[in-house]
Amino acid sequence: MSEQLGANKHWARQERTRFRRQLRENPRRKAALDAALAEHTIACMDRFGAAGRAVAAYSPLPSEPGPEDLPARLARRASKVWLPISMPGGELAWALHGKGAVPGALGITEPEGARFNSNVLRSCALLIVPALAVDRGGMRLGKGAGYYDRALAALPRPAAPVVAVVYDEDVIERVPHDAHDVPVDAVITPSGFFTV
């Protein structure tokens, strides 16, 4: 990665993190936006034919888009909801929602139960991922550790559609990206969702 690209990503992450911090200071507004995100995520599942099938999602941190009970809401429409577990070396493992939860690495609630590698994503009809920002071309900006990029890059193409969940303000003109960054197929915001 070039120094300029790294600096651009760093700046974009700082800007989006500042916005998220401000949003957390207004819990009522954040709750309303997160409720809308959950509704639009379920509508997106229907649009992509994922209702009644397995999906991958995430347990939102307080700073991330989506209500705390997002996995439970999705489980009402999906046959299975796979949730990520941060492993050493920047890899993700996956476990099924509904078996209980424990505090995990990086302050993220993790599901209990058997853990599987990212090959389970091949069984999913939709992959719902968090992001700090996304552009209209589908380039996604994560937190910088590359967990999701590694998991998504390992999937055969075409894979299940990947959708990023962000606030409307997180849809920016251009996300700085490397050649190995994996674009998403759709973007969910509190205003709705769009394909790219």
Side-chain angles (χ1 to χ4, degrees):
M1 174 169 44
S2 75
E3 281 186 40
Q4 183 61 45
L5 179 59
N8 290 344
K9 282 187 171 186
H10 179 73
W11 179 84
R13 285 188 182 102
Q14 283 185 320
E15 286 297 304
R16 300 323 321 143
T17 301
R18 185 176 303 120
F19 165 73
R20 300 271 176 94
R21 221 178 288 121
Q22 291 170 349
L23 187 57
R24 283 182 68 190
E25 292 171 6
N26 188 341
R28 182 175 287 158
R29 179 173 180 239
K30 184 176 186 319
L33 293 174
D34 288 345
L37 279 168
E39 279 183 38
H40 294 305
T41 301
I42 290 166
C44 188
M45 285 175 62
D46 292 342
R47 159 70 172 76
F48 282 104
R53 300 171 67 191
V55 299
Y58 64 100
S59 295
L61 290 168
S63 62
E64 290 181 318
E68 185 179 332
D69 67 344
L70 180 64
R73 293 184 193 202
L74 300 180
R76 293 184 204 119
R77 298 283 292 173
S79 63
K80 297 177 184 175
V81 177
W82 291 99
L83 297 174
I85 300 166
S86 301
M87 303 297 289
E91 299 294 324
L92 289 177
W94 300 84
L96 285 172
H97 165 73
K99 307 279 185 189
V102 295
L106 310 174
I108 301 170
T109 300
E110 296 178 348
E112 292 184 301
R115 295 178 177 195
F116 299 87
N117 66 27
S118 291
N119 284 331
V120 299
L121 300 180
R122 296 173 187 217
S123 70
C124 294
L126 193 66
L127 309 176
I128 302 161
V129 302
L132 278 174
V134 68
D135 63 28
R136 293 208 171 262
M139 294 313 301
R140 172 189 164 274
L141 182 69
K143 291 183 179 176
Y147 284 93
Y148 278 96
D149 286 322
R150 278 187 282 286
L152 298 175
L155 295 176
R157 288 292 182 195
V162 179
V163 297
V165 181
V166 295
Y167 297 110
D168 290 296
E169 294 83 351
D170 298 326
V171 179
I172 62 176
E173 182 71 28
R174 184 177 180 281
V175 167
H177 60 276
D178 292 301
H180 66 267
D181 290 335
V182 179
V184 299
D185 301 294
V187 178
I188 301 168
T189 74
S191 298
F193 67 89
F194 60 89
T195 58
V196 295

